[in-house]
């Protein structure tokens, strides 16, 4: 049940999680594998993972298969699987744990260890490009303030990675699609270092 890092939402029309700090608990980890990136690093391939948190104090009612359900609001965020000093995941995990990583942890840290752990989420909003509303984003994950009530996990935590592939059918459809879209290591090498790839091809030419 381990996914190691080292120093080297979808489908609904629900209201977004309100801005501000919220006591929460991590209820899901998904290893998306090697994914093609967009934005600043468009065209590159990076190892992506996803965390989701429950916010028990914020409740949500929804219908599924004709049955009305009620539960905590949730919010998730995707990170590159890296503990490099500039990596967002490293900053989030250090803030969440309330301490810096040791050299031993930086060499090999099981990121699934935070599933089921409480925290204080900082949520911010950003307008959608089409003006139809806002996106709720996880701005930071912090250690709970001393004396703050510890939120309890509702239901069972979900981990999907190489050691928990049986959890695939429990993932949301958009998550399953993302897992299926992951790249092979050779595809990542080609995308991330095309010059090296071309050099290797040239070496294979017999004339």
């Amino acid at each position: 049940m381990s996914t190691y890092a080292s120093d080297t939402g979808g489908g609904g029309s629900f209201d977004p999680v309100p801005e501000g700090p919220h006591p929460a608990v991590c209820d899901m980890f998904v290893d998306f594998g090697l994914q093609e990136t967009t934005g600043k690093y468009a065209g590159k391939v990076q190892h992506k993972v996803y965390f989701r948190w429950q916010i028990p104090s914020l409740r949500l009612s929804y219908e599924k298969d004709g049955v009305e359900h009620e539960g905590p609001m949730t919010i998730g965020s995707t990170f590159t699987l890296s503990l490099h000093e500039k990596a967002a995941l490293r900053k989030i995990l250090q803030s969440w744990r309330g301490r810096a990583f040791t050299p031993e942890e930086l060499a090999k840290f099981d990121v699934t260890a935070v599933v089921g752990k409480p925290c204080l989420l900082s949520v911010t909003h950003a307008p959608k490009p089409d003006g139809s509303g806002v996106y709720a984003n996880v701005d930071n994950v912090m250690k709970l303030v001393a004396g703050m009530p510890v939120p309890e996990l509702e239901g069972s935590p979900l981990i999907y990675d190489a050691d928990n592939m049986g959890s695939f059918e429990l993932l949301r459809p958009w998550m399953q699609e993302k897992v299926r879209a992951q790249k092979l290591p050779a595809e990542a090498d080609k995308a991330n270092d095309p010059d090296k790839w071309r050099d290797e091809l040239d070496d294979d030419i017999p004339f």
Side-chain angles (χ1 to χ4, degrees):
M1 190 158 117
S2 304
T3 298
Y4 294 104
S6 61
D7 191 357
T8 52
S13 57
F14 306 120
D15 291 334
V17 172
E19 287 188 294
H22 304 284
V25 56
C26 183
D27 72 344
M28 182 184 294
F29 170 86
V30 182
D31 185 352
F32 286 141
L34 298 172
Q35 297 284 328
E36 186 171 344
T37 61
T38 58
K40 181 180 179 181
Y41 299 103
K44 299 294 184 181
V45 174
Q46 297 177 330
H47 194 156
K48 297 293 185 178
V49 295
Y50 174 85
F51 294 89
R52 193 184 73 174
W53 296 268
Q54 294 180 1
I55 304 177
S57 61
L58 301 176
R59 311 306 293 180
L60 181 71
S61 296
Y62 60 97
E63 184 178 305
K64 182 178 180 181
D65 299 327
V67 179
E68 192 73 18
H69 297 269
E70 188 267 348
M73 294 188 78
T74 61
I75 185 170
S77 190
T78 301
F79 299 90
T80 298
L81 184 66
S82 172
L83 293 182
H84 184 274
E85 63 181 357
K86 295 183 179 180
L89 180 60
R90 177 171 171 173
K91 295 175 183 177
I92 287 289
L93 290 175
Q94 289 188 152
S95 175
W96 189 347
R97 300 166 75 222
R99 64 178 179 85
F101 282 102
T102 65
E104 292 76 19
E105 289 172 331
L106 286 175
K108 192 176 185 181
F109 180 75
D110 180 7
V111 293
T112 67
V114 299
V115 177
K117 303 298 184 183
C119 63
L120 185 65
L121 285 184
S122 175
V123 177
T124 58
H125 285 178
K128 294 181 178 180
D130 62 4
S132 61
V134 297
Y135 291 113
N137 299 308
V138 175
D139 184 59
N140 199 5
V141 185
M142 299 161 286
K143 188 175 182 179
L144 285 174
V145 177
M148 182 176 291
V150 178
E152 293 186 11
L153 179 70
E154 297 185 24
S156 300
L158 175 61
I159 295 176
Y160 174 79
D161 61 6
D163 294 329
N164 297 275
M165 299 187 73
S167 302
F168 181 79
E169 297 302 325
L170 300 176
L171 301 179
R172 300 282 183 87
W174 72 268
M175 297 177 183
Q176 294 182 359
E177 291 176 11
K178 202 165 184 68
V179 170
R180 292 191 182 103
Q182 64 183 294
K183 303 294 184 181
L184 298 174
E187 294 177 298
D189 289 342
K190 186 175 182 179
N192 293 337
D193 196 352
D195 292 334
K196 176 178 179 296
W197 185 270
R198 280 193 289 271
D199 290 343
E200 291 177 352
L201 288 179
D202 291 343
D203 290 342
D204 291 337
I205 297 175
F207 54 83

